């Protein structure tokens, strides 16, 4: 949720998420099971876990960029309408995202690609590389768990 001030955005998100969570959990609760810890009941817990963002365009783009740089992802999934969030607030979030967040992220991502000397739209790794060679080529470095190789099960 993106608003002109962070308190407003978090208030909207908190209210809408509370309703969404109750609805989402309804059948899980009836059947005595849970979908895991992906969706805590509390909005602030969800934000603290890095699974949701709300705030001004500036705070959202800085946190989103931080998450992109740490994880190395090349796509994100957004949800601008959920729970009881009114259409007008969802629309405002989409408009602010399109006008003030996405251009900034796109520009910064382009800089990261250029710094890593990776042509846009090309695969990050050449086929046939060893895990060590792949890590050495990784734009985010060997210390990043998202670019480290998965363990080999034998």
């Amino acid at each position: 949720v993106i608003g002109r001030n962070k308190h407003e955005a978090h208030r909207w998100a908190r209210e809408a998420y509370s309703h969404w969570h109750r609805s989402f959990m309804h059948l899980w609760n009836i059947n005595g099971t849970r979908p895991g810890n992906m969706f805590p009941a509390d909005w602030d817990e969800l934000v603290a876990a890095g699974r949701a963002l709300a705030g001004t365009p500036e705070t959202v783009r800085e946190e989103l960029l931080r998450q992109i740089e740490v994880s190395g992802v090349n796509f994100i999934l957004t949800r601008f309408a959920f729970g009881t969030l009114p259409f007008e607030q969802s629309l405002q979030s989409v408009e602010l995202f399109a006008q003030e967040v996405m251009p900034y992220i796109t520009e910064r991502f382009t800089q990261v690609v250029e710094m890593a000397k990776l042509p846009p739209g090309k695969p990050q790794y050449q086929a046939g590389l060893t895990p060590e060679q792949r890590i050495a080529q990784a734009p985010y470095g060997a210390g990043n768990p998202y670019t480290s190789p998965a363990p080999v099960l034998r």
Side-chain angles (χ1 to χ4, degrees):
V1 176
I2 304 173
R4 287 291 171 196
N5 76 63
K6 68 178 183 178
H7 302 292
E8 176 183 73
H10 277 279
R11 181 175 48 83
W12 292 341
R14 209 172 273 116
E15 292 170 8
Y17 181 76
S18 176
H19 184 274
W20 176 87
H21 188 269
R22 278 192 310 277
S23 177
F24 176 75
M25 291 300 297
H26 180 73
L27 291 177
W28 291 98
N29 290 333
I30 287 174
N31 291 294
T33 188
R34 301 192 63 73
N37 294 328
M38 292 297 296
F39 302 107
D42 181 71
W43 169 257
D44 295 312
E45 282 182 49
L46 189 70
V47 171
R51 295 191 188 109
L53 297 174
T56 65
E58 296 79 17
T59 59
V60 168
R61 73 184 180 206
E62 289 302 323
E63 177 57 20
L64 185 57
L65 182 60
R66 186 194 71 75
Q67 290 185 15
I68 291 169
E69 288 178 338
V70 166
S71 68
V73 299
N74 61 5
F75 70 93
I76 59 169
L77 174 66
T78 58
R79 185 179 305 173
F80 293 104
F82 58 92
T84 55
L85 198 61
F87 172 78
E88 294 76 20
Q89 291 165 343
S90 293
L91 181 60
Q92 175 181 299
S93 290
V94 170
E95 289 173 344
L96 289 171
F97 187 83
Q99 295 166 3
E100 299 185 35
V101 175
M102 204 59 228
Y104 179 84
I105 298 292
T106 301
E107 178 183 331
R108 180 67 178 115
F109 180 74
T110 301
Q111 291 170 359
V112 169
V113 169
E114 288 172 8
M115 287 177 2
K117 298 180 182 159
L118 297 172
K122 298 289 182 182
Q124 287 190 2
Y125 308 110
Q126 297 171 355
L129 295 179
T130 68
E132 292 77 19
Q133 291 169 322
R134 202 170 64 235
I135 291 170
Q137 276 193 355
Y140 299 98
N144 185 333
Y146 296 98
T147 57
S148 299
V152 177
L153 301 176
R154 296 174 195 239

